[in-house]
Every structure is written in C-alpha cells, then in structure tokens.
Amino acid sequence: MAVMKKKSAAMDFDGMAELPLSKKLKKDWSKNKGLYLLFVPVLLWYLIFQYGPMIGLSIAFEDYKPSLGFFGSPFVGFKHFINFFQDFYFQRVFFNTIRIAVLTLVCTFPAPIILALLINELKSRRLSKFVQTITYIPHFISIVVVVSIMMDLTARDGAITYFLSKFGFEPVTMLNQKEYFLPLYIISAIWQNIGWNSIIYLSALTSIDAELYEAARIDGAGKFRQLVSVTLPCLLPTIIVMLILQVGKMFNVGYEKIILMYNPLTYEVADVINTYVYRKGLLEMNWSYSAAVGFFNSTVSFLLVWITNKFSNRVSGNSLW
C-alpha cells in the first residue's frame, strides 16, 4: 500500500513537471486555494506598510518640498549623502552606533541561549513554568515604563544608587553620567528581552532526539560533555539564523529607548544614527537629509546581513538562504 502511494506521488510529480507553467499554477491554485487566501492579508500588510513607503526613499535624492510632492521636488543626486559624510557629527553618531550595537549584541545574544539551557535542566515542570513566566513579563512592559522605572531607580536618591552608596559609590543621577549610559542600556535590554528571546531556543531544545543523550550517557559523557557534543551542535542552525537576524538589526539600535534615556549631557556617547535622523527629520524638518541618512543606515544593515549569511554558509554550512 505504501509502495503504491509512493508511486502515485511520483507519477503526480512527473505529471506536474511536464505541464506548462500556466497549467501548473492553475492546478496548484485549485489544490491550495485556502492557503493562498490565508496569505492574502499578510501580503497586503507587507505591500502597504513595508514596500509602499519605500516610494518615499526618492526624497533622499531631492530637495523635498511637500507642496511639490515626491516627483515634483528638484533632483539633487547624492548631495545629502555627501553632506552627511562631511557633517561634524558623522563620526560621533557612526562610531556610537557601532559601539552600542556591537556591545549590545555581544552581551544580549548569548543570554537567552544560556537561560534556555538552564530552564531545560530544571526537573520540576512547575518551577520551569514559573521561571519562564517571570522572565517573559518584562518583554510586555512598555519601553516608556521601563525607562521611567530605570530613572527612578538610578536617580540621586534612587534605590540602586542608595544601595551602591553603601559600598562607597558617590550618589549621582546615573543617567546624567556618560560612563553609566551604556551599562544601563545593556543591562535593561537583557532584563527586558532575555525571557522572550529564549522561547525559540527552548522550542529547539525540545526537538532534540532523546536517543542522542542516551547514547552520550552510555559512552560515559557527563552533563557538560552532553552540552558540548549534543545540545550545542543541535542548536547551532537556530543560533546561526538568530545571529544573522540580530546582525541585520545592529544599525537599527533601539532609538526609541535611547531617545527616552539620553539628554544633552550624554549626547557624546549616546547619540546614534537613528536619533540623529529623528532630530534632523522631525525636529528640524529636514526631510531629505534625514531620508538620506536613513537610506545609508538601511544599506549598511543589508550588507551586514548579506556578509554574515555568506560567512556562516561558508564556515558552518548553515545560513538564512
């Protein structure tokens, strides 16, 4: 019976291969019509909210005036890009973006993997669910609330500042000090996202074949050896995909949070490309200039994804495409 089904499937496949493209599409539509209809809202969302606004990228090459519109404004070529590269603040925002992005990636990316491995080792299912719930909750707290809590805790008379003062720390408003901005940004990012980002790793851990662990135990492997020889190799494809996605978001450093956290006293270490675009585009209403800076940012992000994907494919054989 199984052999007959396989033969039938093979015949269907061969028949489809011989059909012209139009008939293939028609046959596929009649077979999967329901799935295509379910996909329509997703497709419309991407077309309207993701690809539609890309028409606005044209203003990066124009001296845009709302009264003239996208296609009526005078074309100026790469004028705004050149102005950005020659801008006094270019080096500051560019290197701040790289520094914050790299340190955030290095500190936050391993955290959910470690948490997932620790939760996976818990024997008590109830305790495991409790830990997951406690670590997930911060993800659903508004960034505005998170930064407000941070401001209260790290104020001159805040709880964290008071606690540290017992160990000789001078009470100061920490968010007004340049040296504390980045540690506070990274620590709060870990606290807010570690639980949520661990979900996909926990899911990947549950799919690992238990027989692999059993074979490792028979060979005399302890917990650490099982982790190195079984768990991490099985998690590697998931880790690689997540790393590529994270690298793609490196230059889109969470500017909403930075805007809420920084102030003129910390601009020197906190100002990044996205906050610069916000000030130029919305506060100074220099739309063409900010569009050029945003276009440069997106281009660098795309190149990072492409390079990381290529490197991963060559080194480990795992990649996003």
Side-chain angles (χ1 to χ4, degrees), residues 39-54:
F39 178 67
V40 167
V42 178
L43 178 63
L44 289 175
W45 186 86
Y46 271 97
L47 290 175
I48 295 169
F49 296 106
Q50 300 295 322
Y51 291 100
M54 290 179 72

PDB file of all heavy atoms in Angstrom, residues 39-54:
ATOM      1  N   PHE A  39      -3.012  33.736   3.051  1.00  0.00           N
ATOM      2  CA  PHE A  39      -1.782  34.512   2.885  1.00  0.00           C
ATOM      3  C   PHE A  39      -2.049  35.939   2.402  1.00  0.00           C
ATOM      4  O   PHE A  39      -1.218  36.827   2.587  1.00  0.00           O
ATOM      5  CB  PHE A  39      -0.858  33.796   1.897  1.00  0.00           C
ATOM      6  CG  PHE A  39       0.430  34.523   1.615  1.00  0.00           C
ATOM      7  CD1 PHE A  39       1.395  34.671   2.599  1.00  0.00           C
ATOM      8  CD2 PHE A  39       0.671  35.072   0.365  1.00  0.00           C
ATOM      9  CE1 PHE A  39       2.574  35.350   2.351  1.00  0.00           C
ATOM     10  CE2 PHE A  39       1.846  35.747   0.102  1.00  0.00           C
ATOM     11  CZ  PHE A  39       2.803  35.878   1.096  1.00  0.00           C
ATOM     12  N   VAL A  40      -3.214  36.175   1.803  1.00  0.00           N
ATOM     13  CA  VAL A  40      -3.529  37.482   1.221  1.00  0.00           C
ATOM     14  C   VAL A  40      -3.392  38.631   2.228  1.00  0.00           C
ATOM     15  O   VAL A  40      -2.756  39.652   1.931  1.00  0.00           O
ATOM     16  CB  VAL A  40      -4.931  37.478   0.571  1.00  0.00           C
ATOM     17  CG1 VAL A  40      -5.389  38.900   0.248  1.00  0.00           C
ATOM     18  CG2 VAL A  40      -4.916  36.649  -0.689  1.00  0.00           C
ATOM     19  N   PRO A  41      -3.978  38.550   3.471  1.00  0.00           N
ATOM     20  CA  PRO A  41      -3.819  39.668   4.422  1.00  0.00           C
ATOM     21  C   PRO A  41      -2.359  39.972   4.753  1.00  0.00           C
ATOM     22  O   PRO A  41      -1.976  41.140   4.881  1.00  0.00           O
ATOM     23  CB  PRO A  41      -4.578  39.187   5.666  1.00  0.00           C
ATOM     24  CG  PRO A  41      -5.535  38.164   5.163  1.00  0.00           C
ATOM     25  CD  PRO A  41      -4.844  37.493   4.021  1.00  0.00           C
ATOM     26  N   VAL A  42      -1.540  38.924   4.883  1.00  0.00           N
ATOM     27  CA  VAL A  42      -0.112  39.123   5.170  1.00  0.00           C
ATOM     28  C   VAL A  42       0.565  39.847   4.007  1.00  0.00           C
ATOM     29  O   VAL A  42       1.344  40.793   4.200  1.00  0.00           O
ATOM     30  CB  VAL A  42       0.582  37.768   5.425  1.00  0.00           C
ATOM     31  CG1 VAL A  42       2.067  37.956   5.678  1.00  0.00           C
ATOM     32  CG2 VAL A  42      -0.075  37.040   6.587  1.00  0.00           C
ATOM     33  N   LEU A  43       0.243  39.402   2.784  1.00  0.00           N
ATOM     34  CA  LEU A  43       0.821  40.024   1.591  1.00  0.00           C
ATOM     35  C   LEU A  43       0.427  41.496   1.498  1.00  0.00           C
ATOM     36  O   LEU A  43       1.271  42.363   1.229  1.00  0.00           O
ATOM     37  CB  LEU A  43       0.353  39.270   0.347  1.00  0.00           C
ATOM     38  CG  LEU A  43       0.830  39.811  -1.006  1.00  0.00           C
ATOM     39  CD1 LEU A  43       2.347  39.732  -1.106  1.00  0.00           C
ATOM     40  CD2 LEU A  43       0.179  39.048  -2.154  1.00  0.00           C
ATOM     41  N   LEU A  44      -0.856  41.794   1.749  1.00  0.00           N
ATOM     42  CA  LEU A  44      -1.335  43.178   1.698  1.00  0.00           C
ATOM     43  C   LEU A  44      -0.646  44.042   2.748  1.00  0.00           C
ATOM     44  O   LEU A  44      -0.291  45.192   2.482  1.00  0.00           O
ATOM     45  CB  LEU A  44      -2.856  43.215   1.892  1.00  0.00           C
ATOM     46  CG  LEU A  44      -3.705  42.687   0.734  1.00  0.00           C
ATOM     47  CD1 LEU A  44      -5.169  42.664   1.124  1.00  0.00           C
ATOM     48  CD2 LEU A  44      -3.496  43.534  -0.518  1.00  0.00           C
ATOM     49  N   TRP A  45      -0.465  43.471   3.954  1.00  0.00           N
ATOM     50  CA  TRP A  45       0.199  44.223   5.023  1.00  0.00           C
ATOM     51  C   TRP A  45       1.605  44.616   4.602  1.00  0.00           C
ATOM     52  O   TRP A  45       2.023  45.767   4.784  1.00  0.00           O
ATOM     53  CB  TRP A  45       0.244  43.391   6.303  1.00  0.00           C
ATOM     54  CG  TRP A  45       0.772  44.138   7.479  1.00  0.00           C
ATOM     55  CD1 TRP A  45       0.082  44.940   8.341  1.00  0.00           C
ATOM     56  CD2 TRP A  45       2.145  44.181   7.925  1.00  0.00           C
ATOM     57  NE1 TRP A  45       0.918  45.470   9.286  1.00  0.00           N
ATOM     58  CE2 TRP A  45       2.190  45.030   9.063  1.00  0.00           C
ATOM     59  CE3 TRP A  45       3.322  43.593   7.477  1.00  0.00           C
ATOM     60  CZ2 TRP A  45       3.362  45.290   9.748  1.00  0.00           C
ATOM     61  CZ3 TRP A  45       4.505  43.855   8.157  1.00  0.00           C
ATOM     62  CH2 TRP A  45       4.519  44.683   9.278  1.00  0.00           C
ATOM     63  N   TYR A  46       2.361  43.675   4.021  1.00  0.00           N
ATOM     64  CA  TYR A  46       3.726  43.974   3.587  1.00  0.00           C
ATOM     65  C   TYR A  46       3.744  44.977   2.439  1.00  0.00           C
ATOM     66  O   TYR A  46       4.583  45.890   2.412  1.00  0.00           O
ATOM     67  CB  TYR A  46       4.445  42.686   3.169  1.00  0.00           C
ATOM     68  CG  TYR A  46       5.145  42.010   4.318  1.00  0.00           C
ATOM     69  CD1 TYR A  46       4.539  40.961   5.003  1.00  0.00           C
ATOM     70  CD2 TYR A  46       6.403  42.424   4.740  1.00  0.00           C
ATOM     71  CE1 TYR A  46       5.163  40.344   6.077  1.00  0.00           C
ATOM     72  CE2 TYR A  46       7.044  41.815   5.812  1.00  0.00           C
ATOM     73  CZ  TYR A  46       6.418  40.772   6.473  1.00  0.00           C
ATOM     74  OH  TYR A  46       7.044  40.180   7.527  1.00  0.00           O
ATOM     75  N   LEU A  47       2.824  44.826   1.496  1.00  0.00           N
ATOM     76  CA  LEU A  47       2.791  45.740   0.352  1.00  0.00           C
ATOM     77  C   LEU A  47       2.460  47.164   0.787  1.00  0.00           C
ATOM     78  O   LEU A  47       3.072  48.132   0.325  1.00  0.00           O
ATOM     79  CB  LEU A  47       1.763  45.257  -0.680  1.00  0.00           C
ATOM     80  CG  LEU A  47       2.125  43.982  -1.451  1.00  0.00           C
ATOM     81  CD1 LEU A  47       0.968  43.561  -2.345  1.00  0.00           C
ATOM     82  CD2 LEU A  47       3.381  44.179  -2.290  1.00  0.00           C
ATOM     83  N   ILE A  48       1.491  47.300   1.696  1.00  0.00           N
ATOM     84  CA  ILE A  48       1.014  48.629   2.098  1.00  0.00           C
ATOM     85  C   ILE A  48       1.959  49.299   3.081  1.00  0.00           C
ATOM     86  O   ILE A  48       2.311  50.477   2.932  1.00  0.00           O
ATOM     87  CB  ILE A  48      -0.406  48.537   2.696  1.00  0.00           C
ATOM     88  CG1 ILE A  48      -1.405  48.073   1.623  1.00  0.00           C
ATOM     89  CG2 ILE A  48      -0.844  49.884   3.275  1.00  0.00           C
ATOM     90  CD1 ILE A  48      -2.767  47.709   2.163  1.00  0.00           C
ATOM     91  N   PHE A  49       2.403  48.541   4.110  1.00  0.00           N
ATOM     92  CA  PHE A  49       3.155  49.165   5.210  1.00  0.00           C
ATOM     93  C   PHE A  49       4.672  48.987   5.114  1.00  0.00           C
ATOM     94  O   PHE A  49       5.408  49.682   5.814  1.00  0.00           O
ATOM     95  CB  PHE A  49       2.666  48.617   6.549  1.00  0.00           C
ATOM     96  CG  PHE A  49       1.235  48.967   6.845  1.00  0.00           C
ATOM     97  CD1 PHE A  49       0.237  48.013   6.754  1.00  0.00           C
ATOM     98  CD2 PHE A  49       0.875  50.254   7.199  1.00  0.00           C
ATOM     99  CE1 PHE A  49      -1.086  48.324   7.025  1.00  0.00           C
ATOM    100  CE2 PHE A  49      -0.438  50.583   7.470  1.00  0.00           C
ATOM    101  CZ  PHE A  49      -1.421  49.622   7.381  1.00  0.00           C
ATOM    102  N   GLN A  50       5.152  48.049   4.276  1.00  0.00           N
ATOM    103  CA  GLN A  50       6.589  47.842   4.168  1.00  0.00           C
ATOM    104  C   GLN A  50       7.149  48.317   2.827  1.00  0.00           C
ATOM    105  O   GLN A  50       8.140  49.045   2.791  1.00  0.00           O
ATOM    106  CB  GLN A  50       6.924  46.348   4.364  1.00  0.00           C
ATOM    107  CG  GLN A  50       6.507  45.794   5.722  1.00  0.00           C
ATOM    108  CD  GLN A  50       7.265  46.437   6.877  1.00  0.00           C
ATOM    109  OE1 GLN A  50       8.454  46.720   6.758  1.00  0.00           O
ATOM    110  NE2 GLN A  50       6.587  46.681   7.985  1.00  0.00           N
ATOM    111  N   TYR A  51       6.516  47.884   1.740  1.00  0.00           N
ATOM    112  CA  TYR A  51       7.037  48.246   0.418  1.00  0.00           C
ATOM    113  C   TYR A  51       6.463  49.564  -0.094  1.00  0.00           C
ATOM    114  O   TYR A  51       7.157  50.302  -0.797  1.00  0.00           O
ATOM    115  CB  TYR A  51       6.757  47.114  -0.586  1.00  0.00           C
ATOM    116  CG  TYR A  51       7.573  45.887  -0.311  1.00  0.00           C
ATOM    117  CD1 TYR A  51       7.024  44.791   0.353  1.00  0.00           C
ATOM    118  CD2 TYR A  51       8.910  45.820  -0.684  1.00  0.00           C
ATOM    119  CE1 TYR A  51       7.780  43.674   0.636  1.00  0.00           C
ATOM    120  CE2 TYR A  51       9.678  44.706  -0.418  1.00  0.00           C
ATOM    121  CZ  TYR A  51       9.109  43.631   0.243  1.00  0.00           C
ATOM    122  OH  TYR A  51       9.871  42.535   0.521  1.00  0.00           O
ATOM    123  N   GLY A  52       5.219  49.874   0.248  1.00  0.00           N
ATOM    124  CA  GLY A  52       4.607  51.129  -0.182  1.00  0.00           C
ATOM    125  C   GLY A  52       5.400  52.355   0.239  1.00  0.00           C
ATOM    126  O   GLY A  52       5.719  53.224  -0.595  1.00  0.00           O
ATOM    127  N   PRO A  53       5.770  52.457   1.521  1.00  0.00           N
ATOM    128  CA  PRO A  53       6.527  53.641   1.966  1.00  0.00           C
ATOM    129  C   PRO A  53       7.903  53.794   1.331  1.00  0.00           C
ATOM    130  O   PRO A  53       8.520  54.863   1.441  1.00  0.00           O
ATOM    131  CB  PRO A  53       6.669  53.402   3.484  1.00  0.00           C
ATOM    132  CG  PRO A  53       5.535  52.502   3.841  1.00  0.00           C
ATOM    133  CD  PRO A  53       5.358  51.607   2.655  1.00  0.00           C
ATOM    134  N   MET A  54       8.397  52.726   0.664  1.00  0.00           N
ATOM    135  CA  MET A  54       9.723  52.828   0.039  1.00  0.00           C
ATOM    136  C   MET A  54       9.745  53.839  -1.104  1.00  0.00           C
ATOM    137  O   MET A  54      10.819  54.273  -1.535  1.00  0.00           O
ATOM    138  CB  MET A  54      10.169  51.449  -0.454  1.00  0.00           C
ATOM    139  CG  MET A  54      10.511  50.488   0.686  1.00  0.00           C
ATOM    140  SD  MET A  54      11.003  48.864   0.128  1.00  0.00           S
ATOM    141  CE  MET A  54      12.618  49.201  -0.534  1.00  0.00           C
TER     142      MET A  54
END
